[in-house]
Amino acid sequence: MADGPVLLVTGGSRGIGAAVCILAARQGWRVAVNFVRNGEAAQSVVDRIKAMGGEALAVQGDASEEEDIAAIYDVVDNAFGRLDGLVNNAGIIGMPVRVDEMSRERIERIFKVNVLGPMRVAAEAVKRMSTRHGGEGGVIVNLSSAAAMLGSPGEFVDYAASKGAIDVFTLGLAKEVAEEGIRVNAVRPGLIHTDIQADAGNPNRAHDLAHAVPMKRAGEPEEVASTIVFLLSNEASYVTGAVLNVTGGR
């Protein structure tokens, strides 16, 4: 395990991020579990990984703040000395509201965390993984959302727009670094049982809207994680610039 590939997962302490950390560790990745405030949850993920013989550490830092991004990578560099994969999972959502009722501060915060942060975190990953910079290649998986296709009218148009930006960023970056040994893809989760629903003021939202999903149920974090870990793996060696839907058909 000491020479296994190294993966950084932003927002890795809960939900989809935590599921990715655990599943990737099972596949032999050494995992840096990033968190902002909930160190106990992040340490719990680390402990689960270690209990099954894996290697992991918790790394505090706000992935939308430049100084914190630098600090996160300092920890990863010092602990592992390499980077082979990045999952840009950290993101936020606001309370349901129409666009004409949104404050500028809310929109700026959404885009800072959901777009600017992932772009800057990815930029630092490229510096470490790209053959242009002396790296050995690697993989980036960005978290988008089905909201990017649906628009989320009357609820989260700002969030949907931020995830649409992630889709375009994924495509552009994938083409930009394709010759440098880096694959870049994204995953669009649909209605998933995670805490983000509670963050939006409706912890039962996934259950309440399950009837609108062709499969008639909400998804589980592990179902999204399995797609992400596939994209991280050599099984997806010819996949780049793709955005995969994990939406139950919605």
Side-chain angles (χ1 to χ4, degrees):
M1 192 67 171
D3 59 353
V6 174
L7 175 67
L8 169 61
V9 180
T10 65
S13 65
R14 63 178 189 164
I16 293 170
V20 169
C21 291
I22 293 165
L23 182 56
R26 288 195 182 116
Q27 301 300 320
W29 290 83
R30 294 181 286 166
V31 185
V33 182
N34 165 248
F35 71 99
V36 178
R37 288 176 294 275
N38 197 340
E40 184 176 340
Q43 189 59 47
S44 176
V45 174
V46 169
D47 291 344
R48 287 184 62 183
I49 291 172
K50 289 183 175 180
M52 61 189 190
E55 186 175 349
L57 80 165
V59 186
Q60 186 171 18
D62 185 335
S64 70
E65 296 289 348
E66 203 67 19
E67 290 185 1
D68 285 22
I69 293 170
I72 290 166
Y73 275 107
D74 280 346
V75 173
V76 174
D77 293 342
N78 291 330
F80 299 114
R82 61 186 290 179
L83 183 71
D84 304 279
L86 164 67
V87 176
N88 257 325
N89 171 72
I92 60 171
I93 196 168
M95 301 291 284
V97 66
R98 287 169 48 97
V99 171
D100 53 6
E101 298 170 347
M102 290 178 185
S103 68
R104 181 184 183 91
E105 291 74 20
R106 167 185 162 132
I107 296 170
E108 288 179 344
R109 177 63 177 158
I110 291 285
F111 273 76
K112 180 180 181 181
V113 174
N114 293 0
V115 182
L116 300 182
M119 290 181 72
R120 290 296 302 130
V121 173
E124 290 300 318
V126 168
K127 291 177 184 178
R128 289 158 174 79
M129 298 190 295
S130 169
T131 56
R132 182 181 183 185
H133 295 287
E136 299 180 1
V139 190
I140 297 172
V141 180
N142 297 318
L143 265 290
S144 178
S145 170
M149 301 181 294
L150 301 172
S152 298
E155 294 184 308
F156 323 110
V157 172
D158 52 350
Y159 174 79
S162 74
K163 293 304 184 177
I166 287 296
D167 289 355
V168 176
F169 170 60
T170 297
L171 178 60
L173 183 61
K175 293 179 177 180
E176 189 167 279
V177 299
E179 293 185 63
E180 300 168 19
I182 302 175
R183 295 186 295 105
V184 186
N185 297 291
V187 171
R188 288 192 196 113
L191 285 169
I192 308 297
H193 289 296
T194 70
D195 290 344
I196 199 169
Q197 308 298 344
D199 293 345
N202 185 359
N204 297 318
R205 185 171 183 271
H207 177 269
D208 293 343
L209 295 180
H211 64 87
V213 178
M215 291 181 70
K216 301 303 179 187
R217 68 175 178 87
E220 299 298 331
E222 291 76 14
E223 292 178 295
V224 183
S226 64
T227 301
I228 293 170
V229 174
F230 162 72
L231 290 172
L232 290 170
S233 76
N234 289 332
E235 297 299 315
S237 59
Y238 200 54
V239 181
T240 196
V243 182
L244 302 186
N245 296 337
V246 186
T247 63
R250 188 164 181 241

